[in-house]
Amino acid sequence: MSGVWVFKNGVVRLVENPGADSLQGSNGRRKVLVHTPTDEVITSYAVLERKLASLGWERYYDDPDLLQFHKRSTVHLISLPKDFNRFKSMHMYDIVVKNRNLFEVRDM
């Protein structure tokens, strides 16, 4: 058993491969966010922002370190790291959950 022990929020866990890409799943394949109506892979925040805006999401500019989107008809808030290179699968799944049947996460 090798890896790095991480203590966070009162819990200790073993991280087996701390250098692995955060967008890789357990099968080692890279994850991508796909806009299902067009089958388009989201390759940048500009593309994502256009898709979200067409669905009624509005951009918030309060936090300079985050891209944030809010939909007036809901209490949902999507918060993403400013740098697209730090866009992880957890952010993708957040978008999927808040936009059912419009986005999905796929193995590349």
Side-chain angles (χ1 to χ4, degrees):
M1 183 160 59
S2 65
V4 176
W5 287 97
V6 177
F7 181 81
K8 185 175 181 180
N9 297 330
V11 177
V12 176
R13 65 183 179 91
L14 178 65
V15 177
E16 300 256 350
N17 191 0
D21 184 0
S22 61
L23 290 179
Q24 287 184 353
S26 58
N27 59 5
R29 295 171 65 180
R30 189 169 174 85
K31 301 284 187 186
V32 293
L33 181 65
V34 177
H35 181 248
T36 52
T38 60
D39 208 36
E40 180 181 357
V41 174
I42 303 301
T43 56
S44 70
Y45 280 149
V47 173
L48 178 61
E49 188 167 359
R50 279 194 305 275
K51 299 293 183 193
L52 291 175
S54 72
L55 298 170
W57 290 89
E58 299 176 357
R59 175 93 184 268
Y60 273 16
Y61 293 91
D62 292 339
D63 190 331
D65 297 325
L66 297 173
L67 288 180
Q68 293 185 309
F69 299 92
H70 177 260
K71 198 170 192 177
R72 286 183 191 234
S73 61
T74 70
V75 296
H76 296 308
L77 180 69
I78 297 172
S79 295
L80 307 171
K82 193 78 163 189
D83 181 3
F84 189 75
N85 292 323
R86 297 185 64 209
F87 185 55
K88 299 179 182 180
S89 60
M90 73 173 182
H91 301 111
M92 295 178 193
Y93 285 113
D94 186 40
I95 293 168
V96 169
V97 167
K98 293 172 181 168
N99 295 278
R100 300 231 182 255
N101 303 318
L102 296 170
F103 290 93
E104 64 182 31
V105 178
R106 296 182 188 163
D107 288 332
M108 192 164 163

